Amino acid sequence: MSPASPLPRYAVIGNPIAHSRSPQIHAMFSAQTGKPLQYERLLAPLDGFAATVQAFREQGGVGLNVTVPFKEEARVLAGARLSERARLAGAVNTLWLRDGAWHGCNTDGVGLVSDLLRLGVVLEGARVLLVGAGGAARGVLQPLAEAGCARIHVVNRTAARAHELAAAWSAAGVAPGTRVTAGGLAEAGVAGGWNVAINATASSLQGGAPELPPGLYGPDALAYDMMYAAHPTPFMRQATADGAARTADGLGMLVGQAAESFLIWHGVRPDPSPVLTALRAALLAKD
């Protein structure tokens, strides 16, 4: 048996997990900041999240990124030791040990907002269409509202889920200056069009786009897909055909949320830009 690594141990946990780029991202952050670490992929059985986390802890693990389908279980594991972002999102994607217990945060929304700002989007006063009402959408509502969006309209294939999310957000009383409304996919339009439309569904992974009506985009509008690929996703292609001036995928969000996790763990914020450039080049080279 090899001796235990003297480096602090981190991992990304999920199922499936072999595709995750988190080890490369955190290795680049480590080299950039001079913070040495060990970072790996951790496959957990679908019914074995808590046991896998416990085994990781017993082997010296001190921090975890959490991906599908365990973000809600991670919130339960952290109990009351949640950041405000995690509490409002109802999900945790970042865990760290402190005082002998797991603490949780959700950095997805921070990653999204930082990438939108990188792309030159003006969020102050913006009108935003948010497609989807699951955990991905829930996780980004607070950061979008706190960035100054005037209105966020949540639409979903099942309209009731969108209305439930909007009602829960209103009841939370956070960022009351942002108007959050809801409806079905067919109710996605607005007079004058949206400034930003965000696809928070997994439709692009399934080779399709949400069944949205035409005429959604205002002047210089951006369509943003949380999924990413070497080529424009189905949602991005749909948006371009519907008149969106610009499109972007979610690779920058992935790097941005990882940078926020790195900050939580190590107390230093890495620069996402060179990491994003390297990942994009690797994605295109594999195509």
Side-chain angles (χ1 to χ4, degrees), residues 179-207:
R179 180 184 172 211
V180 177
T181 56
L185 294 180
E187 302 169 282
V190 67
W194 301 101
N195 304 120
V196 185
I198 300 166
N199 182 24
T201 77
S203 60
S204 291
L205 291 180
Q206 297 147 10

Side-chain angles (χ1 to χ4, degrees), residues 131-132 157 185 198-212 225-227 233-238:
V131 185
R157 183 174 59 182
L185 294 180
I198 300 166
N199 182 24
T201 77
S203 60
S204 291
L205 291 180
Q206 297 147 10
E211 295 181 4
L212 296 167
D225 197 336
M226 288 189 184
M227 302 298 110
T233 67
F235 174 76
M236 292 164 67
R237 296 197 300 270
Q238 177 195 68

Side-chain angles (χ1 to χ4, degrees), residues 40-279:
E40 63 204 85
R41 297 180 184 90
L42 200 58
L43 176 67
L46 293 177
D47 61 351
F49 172 75
T52 304
V53 172
Q54 180 61 27
F56 173 75
R57 176 179 177 176
E58 290 170 358
Q59 295 160 12
V62 295
L64 284 162
N65 287 129
V66 184
T67 188
V68 174
F70 299 124
K71 292 183 181 182
E72 292 188 6
E73 288 187 65
R75 175 186 57 79
V76 173
L77 186 66
R81 299 173 297 275
L82 297 174
S83 69
E84 182 71 355
R85 293 196 300 249
R87 186 184 68 79
L88 289 169
V92 160
N93 78 336
T94 304
L95 288 166
W96 65 98
L97 272 177
R98 190 173 73 208
D99 300 328
W102 290 109
H103 294 246
C105 187
N106 190 306
T107 67
D108 287 331
V110 174
L112 172 65
V113 167
S114 66
D115 200 37
L116 291 174
L117 296 175
R118 178 188 67 86
L119 292 164
V121 176
V122 178
L123 291 173
E124 186 70 38
R127 296 184 299 182
V128 177
L129 176 68
L130 186 58
V131 185
R138 185 180 299 273
V140 302
L141 265 177
Q142 180 201 8
L144 284 171
E146 292 187 342
C149 296
R151 181 183 177 191
I152 303 171
H153 185 51
V154 184
V155 296
N156 193 61
R157 183 174 59 182
T158 305
R161 290 196 68 196
H163 284 289
E164 288 168 9
L165 178 53
W169 172 258
S170 297
V174 179
T178 300
R179 180 184 172 211
V180 177
T181 56
L185 294 180
E187 302 169 282
V190 67
W194 301 101
N195 304 120
V196 185
I198 300 166
N199 182 24
T201 77
S203 60
S204 291
L205 291 180
Q206 297 147 10
E211 295 181 4
L212 296 167
L216 294 179
Y217 298 95
D220 196 36
L222 173 73
Y224 191 98
D225 197 336
M226 288 189 184
M227 302 298 110
Y228 64 89
H231 299 288
T233 67
F235 174 76
M236 292 164 67
R237 296 197 300 270
Q238 177 195 68
T240 297
D242 190 35
R246 300 180 291 153
T247 63
D249 71 12
L251 191 62
M253 175 180 172
L254 174 69
V255 178
Q257 64 81 23
E260 189 72 12
S261 293
F262 196 92
L263 171 65
I264 290 170
W265 291 336
H266 306 289
V268 58
R269 184 186 299 279
D271 180 3
S273 299
V275 177
L276 176 57
T277 299
L279 281 185

